[in-house]
Amino acid sequence: MTSAPTALNSYRALPDPDGHFGNFGGRFVAETLMPLILELEQAYKDAKKDPAFQKELDYYLKHYVGRANPLYFAERLTEHLGGAKIYFKREDLNHTGAHKINNCIGQILLAKRMGKTRIIAETGAGQHGVATATVCARFGLPCTVYMGSKDIERQSPNVFRMRLLGAEVKPVKSGSCSLKDAMNEALRDWVTNVEDTFYIIGTAAGPHPYPELVRDFQCVIGNEAKEQILEQEGRLPDQIIAAVGGGSNAIGLFHPFLDDKDIEVVGVEAAGHGIHTGKHAASLSAGKPGVLHGNRTYLLMDDDGQIKEADSISAGLDYPGIGPEHSWLKDIGRARYEPIGDKEALEAFKLCSELEGIIPALECSHAIAQVMKEAPKMGKDKIILMCLSGRGDKDIFTVAEALGVEL
Amino acid sequence: MSDAIIGGQDRIAKRFAKLREEGRAGLVTFITAGDPDPEASFEILKALPEAGADVIELGMPFTDPMADGPAIQEASIRALAAGMHMRKTLSLVRGFRDQDHETPIILMGYYNPIYIYGVAVFLEDARNAGVDGLIVVDLPPEEDAELCVPTVEKGLSFIRLTTPTSDDKRLPKLVQNTSGFVYYVSVAGVTGAGSATNDQIVEAMARLRRHTDLPIAVGFGIKNATQAAEVARQADAAVVGSAIVSKIAESLDENGKATDKTASMVTGLVRELADGVRNARN
């Protein structure tokens, strides 16, 4: 294992004051946004030091989100695979059905603290859009969600949910009409409405301080899981696994475990139709470092630096980049990242539904597919802890279509 | 030293000195390299100085231009679809320099295509092609070590965008390391959106003058000769982009291809804008 490159000999000390995780991260934004980003950075620093902020956050996480959610022993899946014991961290049981709300509660409390009166967000699968629309309804702030027109089509239930919650959903028809283009459009809105608007970014990416603050808000996943596994097993897991799109649920699970150096950390990328086909979203496995959406990170692009369209059955993983901390973890070797294709994810989706009575989101079905590869290779005394980041109800139409079933 | 590799800062400084002598503001015109296709783009580029462009901003096409409005986004899409890439953008400049040794050319765009080209090689090739300066939208002073410092060391100008959100506290940081001229983005927003009022521009100019002696070019939202003239009364130059690029879009046939009107429609608008700018202070 590569030694930790920080003075503290910790994998948890970054980013540096300029928002860098090694060579990754940074603040690559238009000048118009710089004062806003610096203001946010200061506001977040202040909030972190303020016990009242943490108390308010804890209150909503408990009474509104429904935390702590269970760490569930997936007994039948464990038996079926015949190897390591498998635990699911049940983020699907949160209010709104995914991990996204952890971050949204944190960011909207920050927005309120900063006196912002309007919220914007981008969304891919719609889970972050729903979570944002939800907290906006709860705190009485107007909300505009940008969503690729292609995603609107394949995630119509979530679009309806957002509208029910009072959000305005704006279809984005530029570029590949998916998550990256929705993010471009949200940035265009932000640069236009600098006075009153707070941009709730949905993943641990974007300009500093977003990768840090989204990670911190998502660390509740790993912190709870750590406590729970110690309670249930009396020891830490041998391996932790999570799916990565932008990578927020993964970094939220990973980060609290990074300094437990015996734990193997595995991120799962969407390989779509297969890496060899070029139709995938595996930026760590098949991309290279570049600069997009405010940070340097691994990206899918051509030789001219033009960003390529990502492809995955899961709209939430359909992004040609990745959070900068994952890029760093990959490069220093603290985490490994494995590609899982659409077909494998579908198999995992079905297996989990049938064996555990849990319909998982297509995003974390990729993680389950990786568990299906890892667990049989490990002894029965080993433990895998996986983040089940969301529920799959939103995906039933996509899955039905992929399986050739007419609803 | 051949004209093609005169230090870029010189060409820009000379041009603004000449404008001062003439007692008028300059017209800065933006087009995207390779829009609607490399050949037509070259024809347009060559015709700009004669039509009245004092400085040329040449957009480097990018798939994800997140600070641009629809007009310039579409220009990028057209250029990329026509096979444009960075090496061709640089050869466009080289071709232009073969016949025009005086009009400054500023490459404008986003960092990733430059980063992927390789900063050192890019600066070398850009300078040899006859580029005078760079405007890179997503590189604020916090990231100066990436490109700004190497650009200035290479003798090219790194032109900074200042905005309505650049207050007295922020401006010293913005004008540091910068050269050539300062580009004032007169509205918070994307290219081609609304325009600032005259009062807002007057106020912003006063604020900027407190921090820099460099010429100040004002852009964003200038669509016609009247607006260009208004800006030219306050600033050292008026920048027009989306309106010109929209003229290119308007000139295309039903298949999105250039027509024999493409270049003339663009130069027609540039002439009007130049008239506005040149007569603004009379």
Side-chain angles (χ1 to χ4, degrees):
Chain A
M1 173 127 338
T2 321
S3 65
T6 61
L8 298 168
N9 198 30
S10 168
Y11 293 101
R12 304 183 64 197
L14 295 179
D16 70 14
D18 292 321
H20 295 117
F21 301 88
N23 187 35
F24 301 102
R27 283 177 288 213
F28 298 88
V29 294
E31 177 55 34
T32 312
L33 293 179
M34 267 318 291
L36 282 75
I37 282 168
L38 294 172
E39 182 196 0
L40 173 62
E41 188 186 337
Q42 191 54 51
Y44 180 55
K45 266 187 202 156
D46 296 345
K48 265 203 289 198
K49 277 186 263 166
D50 180 357
F53 180 80
Q54 193 57 49
K55 202 176 155 200
E56 200 181 7
L57 181 60
D58 289 344
Y59 174 87
Y60 287 108
L61 287 176
K62 180 175 176 191
H63 297 285
Y64 192 63
V65 176
R67 303 201 75 95
N69 58 42
L71 181 71
Y72 165 75
F73 173 44
E75 195 177 352
R76 293 197 67 216
L77 186 65
T78 299
E79 273 169 26
H80 178 82
L81 296 174
K85 285 179 89 169
I86 299 156
Y87 280 87
F88 289 159
K89 181 59 181 159
R90 296 291 304 275
E91 294 299 311
D92 60 317
L93 294 178
N94 294 339
H95 179 41
T96 71
H99 69 289
K100 293 289 185 185
I101 191 133
N102 303 331
N103 165 49
C104 289
I105 287 281
Q107 287 201 48
I108 203 155
L109 291 178
L110 257 185
K112 273 188 17 158
R113 227 181 129 88
M114 295 172 72
K116 301 292 180 183
T117 55
R118 174 176 177 264
I119 301 292
I120 56 169
E122 86 294 337
T123 196
Q127 292 305 87
H128 174 59
V130 168
T132 305
T134 299
V135 298
C136 286
R138 172 61 186 80
F139 290 93
L141 293 179
C143 174
T144 301
V145 179
Y146 291 93
M147 188 168 184
S149 55
K150 196 172 96 184
D151 290 338
I152 285 185
E153 217 169 278
R154 56 183 174 173
Q155 300 288 347
S156 56
N158 270 345
V159 176
F160 186 57
R161 265 180 209 117
M162 286 185 267
R163 289 184 173 143
L164 281 175
L165 291 160
E168 180 191 11
V169 181
K170 283 198 176 169
V172 176
K173 290 179 183 138
S174 57
S176 57
C177 309
S178 69
L179 181 54
K180 85 173 170 79
D181 310 284
M183 201 152 175
N184 289 337
E185 215 51 46
L187 285 165
R188 289 176 188 128
D189 180 312
W190 202 22
V191 92
T192 308
N193 299 290
V194 290
E195 297 298 332
D196 60 350
T197 298
F198 188 102
Y199 179 12
I200 298 189
I201 292 186
T203 193
H208 178 63
Y210 281 103
E212 178 186 5
L213 74 86
V214 174
R215 175 198 72 199
D216 291 353
F217 290 138
Q218 291 294 0
C219 272
V220 68
I221 301 173
N223 286 329
E224 269 179 24
K226 201 167 188 179
E227 220 170 87
Q228 290 166 323
I229 196 77
L230 286 173
E231 198 180 292
Q232 293 175 46
E233 288 283 346
R235 71 174 187 88
L236 293 175
D238 299 285
Q239 191 179 65
I240 54 176
I241 299 187
V244 292
S248 71
N249 89 85
I251 204 69
L253 174 67
F254 295 171
H255 199 256
F257 290 99
L258 287 177
D259 284 340
D260 300 298
K261 289 167 193 167
D262 295 330
I263 298 178
E264 199 186 2
V265 179
V266 183
V268 185
E269 294 194 288
H273 297 270
I275 289 191
H276 63 282
T277 65
K279 293 167 82 178
H280 59 80
S283 43
L284 287 171
S285 304
K288 58 184 173 178
V291 173
L292 180 71
H293 293 153
N295 56 183
R296 175 166 23 233
T297 193
Y298 276 84
L299 298 171
L300 299 178
M301 58 184 149
D302 68 13
D303 294 341
D304 192 42
Q306 306 297 338
I307 307 304
K308 281 193 196 164
E309 294 179 18
D311 198 315
S312 169
I313 191 169
S314 149
L317 302 181
D318 198 347
Y319 179 68
I322 176 92
E325 195 163 8
H326 288 292
S327 292
W328 176 70
L329 289 171
K330 173 197 156 80
D331 272 15
I332 61 163
R334 179 63 190 97
R336 72 178 153 96
Y337 294 85
E338 303 287 352
I340 287 286
D342 290 351
K343 278 192 184 140
E344 295 165 292
L346 273 171
E347 284 308 312
F349 178 97
K350 284 195 289 182
L351 190 71
C352 182
S353 302
E354 286 162 12
L355 289 180
E356 294 294 347
I358 298 170
I359 299 177
L362 277 173
E363 288 74 32
C364 54
S365 297
H366 288 73
I368 300 169
Q370 188 63 28
V371 168
M372 288 159 64
K373 289 183 175 177
E374 304 281 349
K377 293 191 288 192
M378 295 162 73
K380 290 188 176 175
D381 57 335
K382 301 291 184 191
I383 300 169
I384 297 177
L385 195 165
M386 189 206 91
C387 185
L388 198 105
S389 60
R391 55 191 293 162
D393 306 51
K394 68 180 176 61
D395 293 316
I396 54 172
F397 299 101
T398 308
V399 172
E401 197 191 323
L403 300 176
V405 178
E406 230 174 277
L407 293 183
Chain B
M1 193 180 347
S2 85
D3 282 344
I5 53 167
I6 282 178
Q9 293 171 351
D10 288 354
R11 203 145 33 209
I12 297 171
K14 275 187 192 160
R15 178 51 49 102
F16 277 99
K18 181 167 163 261
L19 291 171
R20 256 193 311 277
E21 266 169 42
E22 292 175 15
R24 67 173 180 94
L27 174 66
V28 182
T29 58
F30 173 95
I31 58 168
T32 297
D35 172 30
D37 63 71
E39 293 73 29
S41 182
F42 187 50
E43 291 310 310
I44 297 168
L45 180 64
K46 282 191 299 186
L48 287 174
E50 201 270 317
D54 297 300
V55 176
I56 295 170
E57 283 179 11
L58 191 59
M60 299 172 279
F62 184 48
T63 39
D64 293 77
M66 52 264 187
D68 284 299
I72 294 179
Q73 287 175 42
E74 281 156 26
S76 251
I77 292 168
R78 285 193 296 270
L80 291 170
M84 204 60 192
H85 53 65
M86 190 66 94
R87 284 191 312 282
K88 282 191 190 168
T89 298
L90 294 175
S91 36
L92 215 59
V93 178
R94 209 174 301 115
F96 177 85
R97 271 290 164 256
D98 285 343
Q99 58 173 64
D100 185 315
H101 307 294
E102 284 163 12
T103 309
I105 290 202
I106 317 293
L107 291 183
M108 181 166 185
Y110 296 81
Y111 184 40
N112 198 52
I114 296 173
Y115 178 69
I116 295 308
Y117 196 103
V119 166
V121 192
F122 172 79
L123 289 174
E124 182 69 26
D125 290 357
R127 191 170 185 274
N128 289 339
V131 170
D132 302 290
L134 303 177
I135 300 177
V136 183
V137 179
D138 51 355
L139 284 177
E142 279 73 7
E143 304 292 349
D144 268 0
E146 294 281 336
L147 182 65
C148 172
V149 171
T151 300
V152 174
E153 278 171 7
K154 195 79 191 167
L156 299 181
S157 287
F158 194 87
I159 291 139
R160 193 84 76 189
L161 300 170
T162 61
T163 76
T165 61
S166 315
D167 55 15
D168 281 311
K169 201 173 133 227
R170 178 99 184 134
L171 276 169
K173 202 172 171 121
L174 288 175
V175 297
Q176 181 198 350
N177 292 342
T178 196
S179 55
F181 60 93
V182 171
Y183 185 147
Y184 180 63
V185 171
S186 63
V187 287
V190 293
T191 50
S195 47
T197 65
N198 203 41
D199 287 353
Q200 287 169 329
I201 292 174
V202 170
E203 195 197 322
M205 291 296 295
R207 190 169 64 234
L208 284 164
R209 294 278 190 226
R210 286 201 291 275
H211 296 277
T212 183
D213 295 327
L214 287 170
I216 298 167
V218 174
F220 273 46
I222 303 172
K223 294 188 173 68
N224 55 46
T226 314
Q227 287 173 315
E230 264 173 39
V231 168
R233 276 189 272 278
Q234 312 298 338
D236 300 303
V239 189
V240 184
S242 295
I244 294 173
V245 161
S246 299
K247 202 53 95 177
I248 295 179
E250 225 177 276
S251 77
L252 305 177
D253 67 18
E254 65 271 23
N255 301 315
K257 301 288 180 214
T259 62
D260 50 11
K261 289 185 303 193
T262 298
S264 62
M265 280 177 74
V266 172
T267 49
L269 174 64
V270 172
R271 271 194 192 92
E272 285 171 30
L273 294 165
D275 281 348
V277 167
R278 281 160 203 251
N279 298 322
R281 295 182 194 166
N282 292 344

